[in-house]
Amino acid sequence: MLMRTDPFRELDRLAQQLMGPGTWSKPSAMPMDAYREGDEYVVAFDLPGVSADAIDIDVERNMLTVKAERRPVAKSDDVQMELSERPLGVFSRQIVLADTLDTEHIKADYDAGVLTLRIPIAERAKPRKISIGVGSGSKEITG
């Protein structure tokens, strides 16, 4: 179950601003949504301004790890920064996936700053009908 609101989110945001950008040893968190859509579990991560080649997705057993790095935009020497609120550095999120998900067939798409992972639900986890056989000593009933 995911929390709908986090009372400490604003405090975390302020702490991140004071502590500086995330590093590879201590990355910052990235916002995400997770939901089920039909026979897939969908996880969407907000990564605006991150190049697709700066995103790393790993699955080990049932642990999904997404890491990304937002690098500063190359500026010439005559640029004077007036305001900088967009966080730079390393962002990471780890999610424990249920055993009912098929981690061998994860699809990843990146569009408009949103990384979307689609994880199929494993065939063994889908509901199915069980047919009832008629025993050798029983008679089949017909209507």
Side-chain angles (χ1 to χ4, degrees), residues 62-80:
N62 63 340
M63 178 68 71
L64 172 73
T65 303
V66 177
K67 278 193 173 186
E69 183 175 8
R70 183 179 299 128
R71 300 174 183 115
V73 178
K75 299 177 186 83
S76 64
D77 292 336
D78 63 342
V79 173
Q80 180 179 345

Side-chain angles (χ1 to χ4, degrees), residues 24 46-57 66-73 86 88-89 91 110-115:
W24 285 105
D46 281 349
L47 295 169
V50 174
S51 167
D53 63 342
I55 301 172
D56 186 37
I57 306 166
V66 177
K67 278 193 173 186
E69 183 175 8
R70 183 179 299 128
R71 300 174 183 115
V73 178
R86 297 172 56 212
L88 300 174
F91 301 87
Y110 186 61
D111 184 39
V114 178
L115 173 67

Side-chain angles (χ1 to χ4, degrees), residues 100-119:
T100 57
L101 298 176
D102 183 0
T103 58
E104 297 293 322
H105 296 96
I106 296 175
K107 296 177 195 162
D109 293 307
Y110 186 61
D111 184 39
V114 178
L115 173 67
T116 304
L117 303 180
R118 295 186 171 278
I119 310 165

